[in-house]
Amino acid sequence: MVTPKLYSQAEKRFSPASNRDSARSPEKGDFGANLNLPHKIRLPIVNCSMRTIFLYSMRLLFCVVCAALLGCATDKPSGSNGLRAGVAEIDITPPVGHRMAGYFDERLATGTHDPLHAKAIVLQQPGGPRIAMVFCDLIGISLHISTNARARASALTGIPVTNILISATHSHTGPLFDDIRRKYFHELAVKNLGRDPQEKIYFPDFLVEKLVKVIAQANSKLQPAEIDVGIGQQEGLAFNRRFHMKNGHVAFNPGALNPNIVRPAGPSDPDVGLLLVRDARSKPIAGLTVFAMHSDTVGGSLYSADYAFYLQETLRAALGKKYISAFAAGTCGDINHIDVSVKAPVKGFDVAERLGSTLGRAVLETIPKAEAIRPSIAVRSAKIMAPLQEVTPAQLADARGKISKLGDSSTAFFAKVEAVKILDLAEKGTNWPMEVQVFRLDNDTAIVGLPCEIFVELGLAIKAASPFKKTLVMSICNDRPSYVPTKKAFVEGSYEVSNARVKSGVGEMLVETAAKLLEAAKQR
């Protein structure tokens, strides 16, 4: 298939042929293979009192939601505005044994707690444009993958490339791919063994096939629909993980009950964004939840969508087993779930269940207050060339020497961070294309898609500048070249700044670009 020539020279570097392992070409059957693994999802066992409380609260919420759904059903026939929607999901779980993303040591998947999925929502207004949004249970999406998947999906469905958005939930329990760490461990395996036993498939090609397929499936299922949008609130679930300390420095994750903490170095964002898709009978068939909180609550070596899985299970308990629950990370570059004011577990499936279930209940409480859009879909997008940090020959030589320490648990964390960063920057060059997308749903509602792990202050600034009543801001869309801190954070330093590729000021450039696109979309 010929890929349309729609990209800049910087993006043209990202073709499957140039990124695929030269030591091993995947078999044709690897791509798009069905991984119908016999996984049975079991809800964790909780003690009787907690189960009773949970079931009672869920029954109350179920009654509230049902009343809301029945009320809406009698209000007016869904789909009367001519809007059509199609939804689909597809399994993207790689084989067990694949390297996992999220950390700097080599970590191999030993099994699957809950399968990873890509979930697509396609919207079409009569006489207007179609838009497609895909949400993947992955740590990120590379420019290599999104460039190829969007171009191929566009050629197959007719949806313009700029109208296709591919987002990642930022789960830290998915596969490692298109990354300096993957490259090092893969090349080491090939050198020592003549092959890489951990890569039974080449995941980027496998994922592109799956993304194209799920977009096409959602597009083929377009049906009369109604879209409700609401923004709820959930306080006390997400926290800024950067803190001013008594020594005058800023530290990230300083530990629970640390007496040297002075105050948080930034805010959090309690908004729970909701987009609910109803069919012609007003039945909810799918939805999108947007919330700003790092998806790193599980750890371990089992594939999992993290707390988004329990969000899904909570919503399915109320809305039906076939409900497709998509999740997008808000601007959570400096936000996680750790409350340093209390001593409590911070990792594990119990933690993920508490977070996902709480978020799910917040969504259910938002549904009765959500408003049906009066569709007037429009798309605006723009690209900036983000300046990247320079790498000196001395830094590059030092990083090449230290990269062999990735598998050494005794090597300092920040030494690994620096080595990976320098080698990544050496491959990227001095500038990097970053795309901002704005999807207007109606005169009151817009969705913003940003690349990277964006600091929460930047997302809040976009919401404040938006002329729309409801603005959902999503990060890690179409690419993830690490963190984008604020100018203020660049002065303060700490982990996210040390791991950033961009120069100070890029975050503010993205805010300015998003604000201009929102204004342009509003005025159309």
Side-chain angles (χ1 to χ4, degrees):
M1 179 180 293
V2 178
T3 301
K5 296 180 180 179
L6 301 169
Y7 297 94
S8 67
Q9 291 299 315
E11 292 168 291
K12 285 180 181 177
R13 289 181 284 168
F14 293 91
S15 66
S18 64
N19 283 268
R20 188 180 298 125
D21 162 45
S22 59
R24 172 189 174 275
S25 295
E27 296 293 333
K28 182 177 181 181
D30 286 348
F31 306 148
N34 290 322
L35 294 183
N36 294 321
L37 303 177
H39 304 303
K40 288 189 176 181
I41 301 168
R42 294 184 176 89
L43 292 177
I45 297 173
V46 296
N47 63 58
C48 181
S49 59
M50 287 193 66
R51 181 181 293 277
T52 301
I53 293 171
F54 175 76
L55 291 174
Y56 181 71
S57 62
M58 286 304 300
R59 285 169 183 162
L60 286 175
L61 278 171
F62 183 75
C63 292
V64 171
V65 172
C66 285
L69 298 181
L70 289 171
C72 291
T74 58
D75 192 21
K76 60 180 173 56
S78 185
S80 61
N81 53 30
L83 181 70
R84 297 200 302 162
V87 299
E89 64 178 333
I90 196 166
D91 192 324
I92 58 171
T93 315
V96 171
H98 201 95
R99 294 181 187 87
M100 301 184 77
Y103 310 118
F104 287 84
D105 299 325
E106 186 174 36
R107 186 171 50 127
L108 307 180
T110 59
T112 301
H113 177 271
D114 52 282
L116 309 176
H117 289 93
K119 303 170 183 181
I121 300 174
V122 175
L123 304 179
Q124 182 181 41
Q125 179 185 352
R130 275 176 295 163
I131 59 174
M133 300 178 288
V134 187
F135 307 91
C136 307
D137 295 326
L138 299 169
I139 195 160
I141 291 292
S142 66
L143 186 59
H144 159 217
I145 288 172
S146 68
T147 297
N148 286 281
R150 293 168 74 194
R152 286 185 53 188
S154 176
L156 184 62
T157 65
I159 303 172
V161 169
T162 53
N163 294 20
I164 300 174
L165 176 151
I166 303 175
S167 176
T169 64
H170 201 43
S171 169
H172 284 52
T173 40
L176 179 66
F177 60 95
D178 281 353
D179 185 278
I180 291 295
R181 286 157 286 197
R182 178 265 171 188
K183 180 180 179 181
Y184 168 73
F185 288 123
H186 172 73
E187 291 179 349
L188 183 64
V190 172
K191 177 182 176 181
N192 292 337
L193 303 173
R195 63 186 182 87
D196 186 351
Q198 311 313 139
E199 294 198 4
K200 298 179 179 66
I201 61 171
Y202 180 63
F203 190 76
D205 281 350
F206 167 82
L207 181 59
V208 168
E209 293 288 339
K210 294 287 189 175
L211 292 172
V212 173
K213 186 174 182 179
V214 78
I215 293 171
Q217 287 176 343
N219 186 65
S220 70
K221 295 178 180 179
L222 285 167
Q223 60 179 297
E226 182 180 277
I227 303 295
D228 296 345
V229 176
I231 299 179
Q233 296 281 296
Q234 179 57 60
E235 300 281 358
L237 200 65
F239 306 87
N240 200 294
R241 67 182 187 180
R242 293 166 54 84
F243 291 86
H244 291 286
M245 308 300 286
K246 288 181 179 178
N247 62 7
H249 296 159
V250 168
F252 97 112
N253 289 343
L257 305 178
N258 189 327
N260 294 312
I261 292 175
V262 178
R263 67 183 184 280
S268 61
D269 183 356
D271 283 358
V272 179
L274 165 68
L275 183 152
L276 187 70
V277 182
R278 300 177 185 271
D279 66 13
R281 295 173 297 175
S282 222
K283 178 183 177 181
I285 58 173
L288 167 65
T289 302
V290 183
F291 189 63
M293 183 171 70
H294 245 72
S295 187
D296 182 17
T297 72
V298 172
S301 59
L302 298 179
Y303 291 130
S304 175
D306 206 282
Y307 68 83
F309 166 68
Y310 293 101
L311 165 66
Q312 168 190 279
E313 295 305 284
T314 301
L315 296 179
R316 283 183 172 176
L319 304 177
K321 292 182 179 180
K322 294 184 179 181
Y323 179 84
I324 295 178
S325 171
F327 176 75
T331 50
C332 58
D334 50 346
I335 304 296
N336 66 13
H337 64 289
I338 300 175
D339 181 358
V340 298
S341 68
V342 297
K343 189 75 172 178
V346 296
K347 281 287 178 77
F349 287 107
D350 287 346
V351 174
E353 181 182 21
R354 175 181 63 83
L355 297 167
S357 299
T358 301
L359 186 58
R361 291 191 290 272
V363 171
L364 293 173
E365 291 169 358
T366 303
I367 288 176
K369 298 174 283 187
E371 299 175 329
I373 67 167
R374 293 178 290 179
S376 57
I377 296 175
V379 176
R380 294 290 183 270
S381 68
K383 294 177 185 176
I384 66 169
M385 291 303 295
L388 303 183
Q389 300 173 32
E390 290 91 359
V391 174
T392 67
Q395 286 177 313
L396 186 56
D398 183 60
R400 286 171 175 162
K402 288 179 178 176
I403 196 67
S404 61
K405 304 291 185 181
L406 272 184
D408 183 359
S409 59
S410 64
T411 301
F413 171 71
F414 275 98
K416 296 179 181 182
V417 171
E418 184 71 11
V420 170
K421 169 184 174 175
I422 294 301
L423 292 176
D424 192 25
L425 283 170
E427 288 194 356
K428 281 182 165 59
T430 57
N431 295 280
W432 193 254
M434 292 188 179
E435 182 179 10
V436 180
Q437 291 171 287
V438 168
F439 294 166
R440 187 187 74 186
L441 301 185
D442 70 2
N443 199 47
D444 291 330
T445 312
I447 296 173
V448 178
L450 304 170
C452 312
E453 296 181 54
I454 308 288
F455 268 38
V456 70
E457 295 94 328
L458 301 172
L460 291 172
I462 291 172
K463 291 180 182 181
S466 175
F468 291 87
K469 180 181 175 182
K470 295 184 285 286
T471 305
L472 309 184
V473 183
M474 309 185 303
S475 64
I476 320 179
C477 298
N478 302 320
D479 196 13
R480 179 186 158 257
S482 197
Y483 290 93
V484 177
T486 60
K487 289 181 179 179
K488 170 178 168 287
F490 267 101
V491 174
E492 296 167 340
S494 197
Y495 164 67
E496 298 90 352
V497 174
S498 298
N499 201 13
R501 276 53 165 170
V502 299
K503 289 184 176 180
S504 177
V506 168
E508 287 72 17
M509 291 171 62
L510 291 172
V511 171
E512 182 181 6
T513 302
K516 289 180 178 178
L517 292 174
L518 286 163
E519 286 290 347
K522 181 74 172 180
Q523 294 170 9
R524 180 185 177 277

